[in-house]
Amino acid sequence: RDKISLDIGSVRLTERHVRSDPPTSGELERVREDVRRALATVPFQPAGHVVGVAGTVTTIAAFAKNIVPYDGALVHGAELSAAEVARAGIDLGKLTLEERTRIAAIDPKRADVIVAGTLLVDELLRFCSAASMTVSDRGVRWGLVVRALASA
């Protein structure tokens, strides 16, 4: 299987491009451009179903589907449409950090980076030509444990 790691996480994108509160349209576009530039270096064409793991994806799902309080059982396995991700990016991009910290579906510790993270996921879905993604609340380590147990 093909795999690649790119230096375009939510924190890094926020640190590189976001200076205003709320972010300016120019800052948001620079985040998107940075993601597109990184994705253009991928030496293979993504194929198959998209599965999103980790805090950014689960936060977007909780926000888009209004899962309050956060419930991993409801988030895990949820289908998150590209339209929901795009809408979340637009909605969150208009809010100040203080306003984002008051959203019950968003962990206040993630409120500062969720805008860039949502734009990252939006661009990734576009790059993959994916209409949706499956959300995993489990993460990579969970999969490694399952794999290890299956081969034991």
Side-chain angles (χ1 to χ4, degrees):
R1 294 190 176 215
D2 295 314
K3 58 187 163 287
I4 189 168
S5 178
L6 302 171
D7 193 18
I8 53 169
S10 301
V11 173
R12 184 143 348 257
L13 289 167
T14 301
E15 290 172 344
R16 285 180 187 161
H17 303 293
V18 179
R19 304 282 178 266
S20 304
D21 188 26
T24 66
S25 60
E27 290 169 341
L28 298 176
E29 184 53 34
R30 284 189 287 284
V31 168
R32 287 184 179 280
E33 288 169 356
D34 199 357
V35 173
R36 288 190 295 260
R37 195 169 29 256
L39 291 172
T41 69
V42 174
F44 54 87
Q45 180 59 46
H49 188 77
V50 176
V51 178
V53 298
T56 294
V57 173
T58 58
T59 298
I60 296 167
F63 173 74
K65 298 187 177 300
N66 197 30
I67 299 174
V68 178
Y70 183 87
D71 183 342
L74 294 175
V75 170
H76 185 70
E79 279 298 309
L80 188 60
S81 73
E84 288 174 309
V85 174
R87 178 84 252 158
I90 291 167
D91 292 345
L92 292 169
K94 294 176 183 177
L95 302 175
T96 65
L97 175 58
E98 182 181 336
E99 290 169 326
R100 291 191 305 272
T101 60
R102 290 192 307 239
I103 297 172
I106 297 176
D107 181 339
K109 295 179 209 160
R110 195 168 291 280
D112 58 339
V113 298
I114 194 60
V115 174
T118 303
L119 299 180
L120 164 62
V121 174
D122 185 33
E123 289 297 329
L124 180 64
L125 291 172
R126 291 170 193 254
F127 177 73
C128 295
S129 300
S132 67
M133 68 188 311
T134 301
V135 179
S136 174
D137 184 59
R138 301 299 195 266
V140 175
R141 286 179 280 192
W142 181 274
L144 292 174
V145 168
V146 169
R147 182 188 297 167
L149 291 173
S151 65

